[in-house]
Amino acid sequence: MTHVAATLSASLGLLLMALLASIGAVSVYEGERRAARVSFLAAVLVAGPLLGAALLPGPFAFFALSIGALIAIGVVSRCVFPLRRAVEPGGRASRRVDERDIMFARGRLRPGSPEFDAYYRMRPENLANDNRTRALPGLLSAGAEKAEPLSFAAADACFSVTEALRCRVDGEVEPVRQERSPREWTDALTGLALGWGAKAVGVAELEPAHVYTHIGRGAGTWGSEIRLAHRWAIAFTVEMDHRAVAQAPEAPVVAESARQYVESAKIAVQLASVIRDQGWPARAHTDGNYRVIAPLVARAAGLGEIGRMGLLMTPRLGPRVRIGVVTTDIPLVPAAPGDDLSVLDFCTVCRKCAVNCPVGAIPHGDRIEMEQGRRWVIDDDTCYRYWNAIGTDCATCMKVCPYSHPDTLMHTLVRKATRLSPGTRSLMLWMDDLVYGRRP
Ligand code: SF4
Ligand code: SF4
């Protein structure tokens, strides 16, 4: 009996040491120094006593093993309970949005231009706030707080490529229409997008509230009414590099955002071109040239949920993605809308993005009912003003989000665990705070 207790104690100690040391090694590989330090320290602090107990006289080994078993039972119980917690789904958007009202469109208005005058005649209440933002150095400006010439130049180069692709978002449709079943078209187009670098692809039936009412930026005349009659939307995500996001809010993150906008624009433009070539109309929606609200479409296409920080939360990469959309009439099979309640529940208890937002633009409270569905409403004016002060797109919220960790086996297991129960979500959040810090 004594011998068995000692053997068990030693085996458990070695197992835990191997596990925690592996987590430490993975963290070193991921460049997460704090996580590596905490994991190696935990390997010593947790496994050490068990290994030491195995060397003790019989009763002490038995006692140590009993303590270990009690802790294990406590952890497992914490994982399992509570089994359920009521979470309301996000619901559907019911009102269309005017693109001229979004902060990116307002940020482009130049004083003295006809658009400027027309907009502030229509919305005089936004003028004072927007002028405060306009007085700041601006995105990618040399005078901004986080200015870094090389990264800003890289971002600028990428944005100019995305802009150059604007003339390719739409085009002539081949007169001869190719026919396939909706399933075959869906599989073929999904395969193409994945082959070109998309991480996830989904199809949604386009709803009126997905489409902006008037053009606020991009191709077309500012203020024109948008009439997009396509029935379907193909939404897809591309991954932002983890190491670049980890540097947020410094300049490399905006270079990475711009790079992934190019990638998503390329895929969208190519996909739309293929569809038109098959005799069906299609339009690509790219950065600065959307006719649709991309996160809403992506959510309806089953790619994720809208999290506390207002971004699409995907199951594999969290918010660390950029979204591309193609709208079309080619027959397709829609996915079930995104309603991953485990993500919404996690966001309810987590609040890490809200704690770390440098300007307090993310709410700490509950979701509220609005015409855009039940959601957390971020103060996007304050967020955008901060971008204009520092010159980058910040992304601190994206960096600290527990769902943003790399798409590796270790993090995939953790993400799967968060789907099991509210208890595992609380446990995983506690571990994330311990390993990476509440304020990483
Ligand atoms: S940091 Fe936490 S609260 Fe914020 S979006 Fe990510 S999971 Fe949700
Ligand atoms: S991007 Fe930065 S400023 Fe904007 S909400 Fe996220 S953390 Fe806050």
Side-chain angles (χ1 to χ4, degrees), residues 249 309 311 353 356-362 378-379 382-384 386-387 390 393-398:
M309 67 177 82
L311 300 178
C353 51
N356 285 277
C357 174
V359 287
I362 301 175
I378 80 157
D379 179 351
T382 302
C383 167
Y384 188 59
Y386 183 62
W387 293 13
I390 63 174
D393 55 353
C394 179
T396 301
C397 45
M398 186 186 286

mmCIF file of all heavy atoms in Angstrom, residues 249 309 311 353 356-362 378-379 382-384 386-387 390 393-398, ligand 2:
data_model
loop_
_atom_site.group_PDB
_atom_site.id
_atom_site.type_symbol
_atom_site.label_atom_id
_atom_site.label_comp_id
_atom_site.label_asym_id
_atom_site.label_seq_id
_atom_site.Cartn_x
_atom_site.Cartn_y
_atom_site.Cartn_z
ATOM 1 N N PRO A 249 -0.388 48.329 -28.909
ATOM 2 C CA PRO A 249 -0.863 49.198 -30.003
ATOM 3 C C PRO A 249 0.254 49.814 -30.840
ATOM 4 O O PRO A 249 0.052 50.850 -31.465
ATOM 5 C CB PRO A 249 -1.606 50.288 -29.230
ATOM 6 C CG PRO A 249 -0.792 50.455 -27.976
ATOM 7 C CD PRO A 249 -0.249 49.089 -27.643
ATOM 8 N N MET A 309 -16.070 43.409 -27.385
ATOM 9 C CA MET A 309 -15.322 44.508 -28.017
ATOM 10 C C MET A 309 -15.936 44.940 -29.348
ATOM 11 O O MET A 309 -15.381 45.789 -30.047
ATOM 12 C CB MET A 309 -13.858 44.119 -28.194
ATOM 13 C CG MET A 309 -13.643 43.005 -29.175
ATOM 14 S SD MET A 309 -11.898 42.637 -29.427
ATOM 15 C CE MET A 309 -11.521 41.600 -28.032
ATOM 16 N N LEU A 311 -16.268 43.213 -32.068
ATOM 17 C CA LEU A 311 -15.713 42.546 -33.245
ATOM 18 C C LEU A 311 -16.286 41.135 -33.349
ATOM 19 O O LEU A 311 -16.816 40.596 -32.375
ATOM 20 C CB LEU A 311 -14.188 42.453 -33.149
ATOM 21 C CG LEU A 311 -13.417 43.762 -33.044
ATOM 22 C CD1 LEU A 311 -11.929 43.483 -32.910
ATOM 23 C CD2 LEU A 311 -13.675 44.639 -34.268
ATOM 24 N N CYS A 353 -11.009 42.827 -22.280
ATOM 25 C CA CYS A 353 -10.813 43.913 -23.253
ATOM 26 C C CYS A 353 -11.227 45.244 -22.637
ATOM 27 O O CYS A 353 -10.554 46.263 -22.834
ATOM 28 C CB CYS A 353 -11.594 43.630 -24.537
ATOM 29 S SG CYS A 353 -13.320 43.212 -24.278
ATOM 30 N N ASN A 356 -8.615 46.535 -20.263
ATOM 31 C CA ASN A 356 -7.359 46.962 -20.882
ATOM 32 C C ASN A 356 -7.492 48.069 -21.919
ATOM 33 O O ASN A 356 -6.479 48.581 -22.385
ATOM 34 C CB ASN A 356 -6.675 45.755 -21.533
ATOM 35 C CG ASN A 356 -6.047 44.839 -20.490
ATOM 36 O OD1 ASN A 356 -4.939 45.096 -20.033
ATOM 37 N ND2 ASN A 356 -6.771 43.803 -20.087
ATOM 38 N N CYS A 357 -8.709 48.407 -22.317
ATOM 39 C CA CYS A 357 -8.863 49.479 -23.322
ATOM 40 C C CYS A 357 -8.292 50.776 -22.744
ATOM 41 O O CYS A 357 -8.731 51.226 -21.681
ATOM 42 C CB CYS A 357 -10.327 49.658 -23.696
ATOM 43 S SG CYS A 357 -10.572 51.078 -24.800
ATOM 44 N N PRO A 358 -7.317 51.387 -23.417
ATOM 45 C CA PRO A 358 -6.658 52.562 -22.828
ATOM 46 C C PRO A 358 -7.566 53.769 -22.680
ATOM 47 O O PRO A 358 -7.251 54.697 -21.942
ATOM 48 C CB PRO A 358 -5.506 52.855 -23.811
ATOM 49 C CG PRO A 358 -5.850 52.143 -25.054
ATOM 50 C CD PRO A 358 -6.721 50.995 -24.699
ATOM 51 N N VAL A 359 -8.696 53.797 -23.400
ATOM 52 C CA VAL A 359 -9.570 54.982 -23.324
ATOM 53 C C VAL A 359 -10.967 54.633 -22.827
ATOM 54 O O VAL A 359 -11.890 55.438 -22.939
ATOM 55 C CB VAL A 359 -9.654 55.685 -24.705
ATOM 56 C CG1 VAL A 359 -8.361 56.409 -25.002
ATOM 57 C CG2 VAL A 359 -9.994 54.704 -25.815
ATOM 58 N N GLY A 360 -11.134 53.427 -22.288
ATOM 59 C CA GLY A 360 -12.421 53.045 -21.702
ATOM 60 C C GLY A 360 -13.566 53.015 -22.705
ATOM 61 O O GLY A 360 -14.704 53.336 -22.355
ATOM 62 N N ALA A 361 -13.259 52.611 -23.930
ATOM 63 C CA ALA A 361 -14.311 52.638 -24.965
ATOM 64 C C ALA A 361 -15.178 51.375 -24.963
ATOM 65 O O ALA A 361 -16.184 51.324 -25.665
ATOM 66 C CB ALA A 361 -13.674 52.816 -26.339
ATOM 67 N N ILE A 362 -14.775 50.363 -24.186
ATOM 68 C CA ILE A 362 -15.518 49.091 -24.200
ATOM 69 C C ILE A 362 -16.327 48.985 -22.906
ATOM 70 O O ILE A 362 -15.780 49.189 -21.817
ATOM 71 C CB ILE A 362 -14.541 47.898 -24.331
ATOM 72 C CG1 ILE A 362 -13.727 48.048 -25.626
ATOM 73 C CG2 ILE A 362 -15.288 46.565 -24.318
ATOM 74 C CD1 ILE A 362 -12.650 47.014 -25.813
ATOM 75 N N ILE A 378 -19.776 49.557 -28.126
ATOM 76 C CA ILE A 378 -18.539 50.255 -27.778
ATOM 77 C C ILE A 378 -18.653 51.729 -28.193
ATOM 78 O O ILE A 378 -19.418 52.082 -29.091
ATOM 79 C CB ILE A 378 -17.278 49.593 -28.372
ATOM 80 C CG1 ILE A 378 -17.084 49.963 -29.839
ATOM 81 C CG2 ILE A 378 -17.249 48.105 -28.187
ATOM 82 C CD1 ILE A 378 -15.631 49.815 -30.248
ATOM 83 N N ASP A 379 -17.879 52.567 -27.545
ATOM 84 C CA ASP A 379 -17.872 53.992 -27.863
ATOM 85 C C ASP A 379 -16.891 54.170 -29.016
ATOM 86 O O ASP A 379 -15.699 54.418 -28.809
ATOM 87 C CB ASP A 379 -17.438 54.770 -26.604
ATOM 88 C CG ASP A 379 -17.384 56.263 -26.842
ATOM 89 O OD1 ASP A 379 -17.515 56.693 -28.015
ATOM 90 O OD2 ASP A 379 -17.192 57.007 -25.866
ATOM 91 N N THR A 382 -14.729 57.447 -29.374
ATOM 92 C CA THR A 382 -13.569 57.548 -28.470
ATOM 93 C C THR A 382 -12.439 56.638 -28.948
ATOM 94 O O THR A 382 -11.263 57.011 -28.926
ATOM 95 C CB THR A 382 -14.005 57.169 -27.036
ATOM 96 O OG1 THR A 382 -15.048 58.052 -26.652
ATOM 97 C CG2 THR A 382 -12.868 57.275 -26.052
ATOM 98 N N CYS A 383 -12.812 55.447 -29.381
ATOM 99 C CA CYS A 383 -11.826 54.494 -29.909
ATOM 100 C C CYS A 383 -11.106 55.109 -31.115
ATOM 101 O O CYS A 383 -9.877 55.144 -31.169
ATOM 102 C CB CYS A 383 -12.547 53.208 -30.298
ATOM 103 S SG CYS A 383 -11.582 52.066 -31.282
ATOM 104 N N TYR A 384 -11.888 55.632 -32.055
ATOM 105 C CA TYR A 384 -11.304 56.175 -33.289
ATOM 106 C C TYR A 384 -10.443 57.406 -32.985
ATOM 107 O O TYR A 384 -9.421 57.618 -33.619
ATOM 108 C CB TYR A 384 -12.433 56.526 -34.253
ATOM 109 C CG TYR A 384 -11.976 56.923 -35.634
ATOM 110 C CD1 TYR A 384 -11.219 56.048 -36.416
ATOM 111 C CD2 TYR A 384 -12.296 58.174 -36.167
ATOM 112 C CE1 TYR A 384 -10.798 56.408 -37.680
ATOM 113 C CE2 TYR A 384 -11.884 58.542 -37.434
ATOM 114 C CZ TYR A 384 -11.138 57.654 -38.188
ATOM 115 O OH TYR A 384 -10.728 58.014 -39.441
ATOM 116 N N TYR A 386 -8.685 57.839 -30.362
ATOM 117 C CA TYR A 386 -7.408 57.312 -29.851
ATOM 118 C C TYR A 386 -6.512 56.858 -31.017
ATOM 119 O O TYR A 386 -5.314 57.112 -31.018
ATOM 120 C CB TYR A 386 -7.688 56.156 -28.882
ATOM 121 C CG TYR A 386 -6.447 55.599 -28.240
ATOM 122 C CD1 TYR A 386 -5.639 56.378 -27.426
ATOM 123 C CD2 TYR A 386 -6.062 54.268 -28.465
ATOM 124 C CE1 TYR A 386 -4.488 55.863 -26.849
ATOM 125 C CE2 TYR A 386 -4.922 53.740 -27.886
ATOM 126 C CZ TYR A 386 -4.135 54.551 -27.081
ATOM 127 O OH TYR A 386 -3.002 54.043 -26.514
ATOM 128 N N TRP A 387 -7.122 56.200 -31.994
ATOM 129 C CA TRP A 387 -6.345 55.793 -33.181
ATOM 130 C C TRP A 387 -5.679 57.012 -33.815
ATOM 131 O O TRP A 387 -4.536 56.955 -34.253
ATOM 132 C CB TRP A 387 -7.240 55.152 -34.239
ATOM 133 C CG TRP A 387 -7.848 53.835 -33.891
ATOM 134 C CD1 TRP A 387 -7.909 53.246 -32.667
ATOM 135 C CD2 TRP A 387 -8.494 52.948 -34.799
ATOM 136 N NE1 TRP A 387 -8.566 52.058 -32.756
ATOM 137 C CE2 TRP A 387 -8.939 51.838 -34.052
ATOM 138 C CE3 TRP A 387 -8.766 52.973 -36.154
ATOM 139 C CZ2 TRP A 387 -9.629 50.767 -34.620
ATOM 140 C CZ3 TRP A 387 -9.447 51.919 -36.733
ATOM 141 C CH2 TRP A 387 -9.863 50.821 -35.970
ATOM 142 N N ILE A 390 -2.635 58.097 -31.738
ATOM 143 C CA ILE A 390 -1.429 57.255 -31.741
ATOM 144 C C ILE A 390 -0.972 56.892 -33.160
ATOM 145 O O ILE A 390 0.145 56.463 -33.367
ATOM 146 C CB ILE A 390 -1.628 55.973 -30.900
ATOM 147 C CG1 ILE A 390 -2.727 55.078 -31.463
ATOM 148 C CG2 ILE A 390 -1.909 56.318 -29.441
ATOM 149 C CD1 ILE A 390 -2.849 53.735 -30.742
ATOM 150 N N ASP A 393 -4.083 51.411 -35.454
ATOM 151 C CA ASP A 393 -5.463 51.017 -35.141
ATOM 152 C C ASP A 393 -5.525 50.294 -33.786
ATOM 153 O O ASP A 393 -6.399 49.444 -33.577
ATOM 154 C CB ASP A 393 -6.074 50.184 -36.264
ATOM 155 C CG ASP A 393 -5.242 48.959 -36.627
ATOM 156 O OD1 ASP A 393 -4.118 48.822 -36.104
ATOM 157 O OD2 ASP A 393 -5.710 48.131 -37.424
ATOM 158 N N CYS A 394 -4.601 50.598 -32.912
ATOM 159 C CA CYS A 394 -4.594 50.171 -31.502
ATOM 160 C C CYS A 394 -4.629 48.645 -31.336
ATOM 161 O O CYS A 394 -3.625 48.030 -31.085
ATOM 162 C CB CYS A 394 -5.734 50.829 -30.722
ATOM 163 S SG CYS A 394 -5.796 50.320 -28.993
ATOM 164 N N ALA A 395 -5.801 48.040 -31.416
ATOM 165 C CA ALA A 395 -5.952 46.584 -31.322
ATOM 166 C C ALA A 395 -5.527 46.004 -29.971
ATOM 167 O O ALA A 395 -5.278 44.809 -29.857
ATOM 168 C CB ALA A 395 -5.211 45.867 -32.455
ATOM 169 N N THR A 396 -5.428 46.844 -28.945
ATOM 170 C CA THR A 396 -5.107 46.325 -27.613
ATOM 171 C C THR A 396 -6.161 45.310 -27.180
ATOM 172 O O THR A 396 -5.833 44.275 -26.574
ATOM 173 C CB THR A 396 -5.038 47.490 -26.597
ATOM 174 O OG1 THR A 396 -4.034 48.398 -27.036
ATOM 175 C CG2 THR A 396 -4.704 46.999 -25.206
ATOM 176 N N CYS A 397 -7.422 45.597 -27.470
ATOM 177 C CA CYS A 397 -8.496 44.666 -27.086
ATOM 178 C C CYS A 397 -8.308 43.314 -27.765
ATOM 179 O O CYS A 397 -8.511 42.261 -27.153
ATOM 180 C CB CYS A 397 -9.864 45.260 -27.409
ATOM 181 S SG CYS A 397 -10.002 46.019 -29.026
ATOM 182 N N MET A 398 -7.901 43.349 -29.026
ATOM 183 C CA MET A 398 -7.676 42.099 -29.761
ATOM 184 C C MET A 398 -6.495 41.328 -29.150
ATOM 185 O O MET A 398 -6.527 40.116 -28.990
ATOM 186 C CB MET A 398 -7.386 42.428 -31.224
ATOM 187 C CG MET A 398 -7.280 41.238 -32.128
ATOM 188 S SD MET A 398 -6.777 41.687 -33.804
ATOM 189 C CE MET A 398 -8.243 42.418 -34.465
HETATM 190 S S1 SF4 B 2 -9.002 49.342 -30.486
HETATM 191 FE FE1 SF4 B 2 -8.033 50.171 -28.607
HETATM 192 S S2 SF4 B 2 -9.160 52.034 -28.157
HETATM 193 FE FE2 SF4 B 2 -10.413 50.845 -29.569
HETATM 194 S S3 SF4 B 2 -11.781 49.628 -28.290
HETATM 195 FE FE3 SF4 B 2 -9.986 48.336 -28.719
HETATM 196 S S4 SF4 B 2 -8.586 48.728 -26.986
HETATM 197 FE FE4 SF4 B 2 -10.127 50.372 -26.987
#
